[in-house]
Amino acid sequence: AQMGLQDVALAAAMHDTTLFPLISQEELLGYLQVSNHHNQKLPPEETHLLNIISLQTAAAVHTILLHAKAQSYAGQITALQKIARHANSAPGLDDLLINSIKETALLFLADVCAIFIMDENSGIMQAHIPSAYGVPQKFIKPLSRLVVRPPAFKMTVAGSMKPFVSANLPKDRRVLPIYRAIVRNLKICSALVVPIIIHEHGMGELMLGAFAENQFSTHDLLTAETIASQLGTAMNAFLHTGETDITLNRQINYLLTLNKVTRELNATSN
């Protein structure tokens, strides 16, 4: 009853239920539930046998989870390498962001993805419309009119240089008023937003949204921050570097980024 199984037991006319924990390497993975319709406890020999089965099941589940995690890491490395290649080879800022935002959305299974960029001259931050992913055409104009002016900038992820993760946006009181229209119109339930930092200053933010709740994890946050770092380096090359130096700088940044991505993913997997 304490685990919320009372209603299920009553509906199924279960009189006796035993839960065997699935534990592998001191980690609880779940439970093996054994029930019957008679008011009779399991005999000791059957309990012993089910204990053995639960241990074997836990080992199998643990192996499957490790395999899935390895595949996930491999997919992340591939996606991050693609983004690094875009940063190295894109002919312009629009091409860089269009391709990188699409790869980012696919990596995180995000329904919506956009990047907001600060204009240093005006102090205004706006969405980069050409690269907006998953935004219906009828909401493109409203998104383009969303302008973050200097007084409100310091409260944003870019201005504070602190990430934002929400599992249930409609009920999250931390959502700034300027973003509430996006949440409402696009019906986004969960979000992950990380700052794009250039020379220790927040110059934009990468925003990922999903229609489902609890879409993004702490591990996703670390990966998103790596992507934002890549984009910040590449954007800085386009916006502030002389044309004759762009190719060399991008090749150097590409190699540095690949090394950083490999180190961070290896550290996370360990």
Side-chain angles (χ1 to χ4, degrees), residues 192-209:
L192 170 60
V193 189
V194 292
I196 295 174
I197 300 173
I198 300 176
H199 299 314
E200 300 183 358
H201 293 284
M203 298 304 297
E205 53 192 50
L206 175 64
M207 178 184 295
L208 292 143

Side-chain angles (χ1 to χ4, degrees), residues 25-98:
Q25 297 186 4
E26 300 183 355
E27 181 182 0
L28 178 63
L29 304 175
Y31 292 91
L32 173 65
Q33 178 181 340
V34 179
S35 306
N36 62 55
H37 300 291
H38 308 289
N39 191 14
Q40 180 180 353
K41 292 186 177 181
L42 291 171
E45 60 274 14
E46 291 186 10
T47 301
H48 177 69
L49 178 61
L50 287 167
N51 271 320
I52 294 174
I53 293 174
S54 67
L55 289 173
Q56 294 175 337
T57 303
V61 171
H62 184 72
T63 300
I64 293 171
L65 292 176
L66 284 178
H67 181 67
K69 187 179 291 185
Q71 287 185 318
S72 175
Y73 286 139
Q76 288 176 14
I77 290 174
T78 300
L80 291 169
Q81 288 175 337
K82 285 182 180 180
I83 293 172
R85 284 196 292 271
H86 291 319
N88 179 55
S89 61
L93 185 60
D94 282 358
D95 292 282
L96 163 69
L97 296 180
I98 289 171

Side-chain angles (χ1 to χ4, degrees), residues 193-232:
V193 189
V194 292
I196 295 174
I197 300 173
I198 300 176
H199 299 314
E200 300 183 358
H201 293 284
M203 298 304 297
E205 53 192 50
L206 175 64
M207 178 184 295
L208 292 143
F211 301 144
E213 297 180 4
N214 300 298
Q215 176 74 18
F216 306 109
S217 65
T218 302
H219 178 69
D220 291 333
L221 173 60
L222 296 174
T223 305
E225 288 177 331
T226 300
I227 293 174
S229 177
Q230 288 181 253
L231 293 178

Side-chain angles (χ1 to χ4, degrees), residues 155-175:
M155 295 184 292
T156 65
V157 166
S160 66
M161 293 191 289
K162 295 180 180 179
F164 173 86
V165 182
S166 178
N168 192 336
L169 283 173
K171 297 181 180 179
D172 197 326
R173 296 182 179 180
R174 298 174 299 159
V175 178

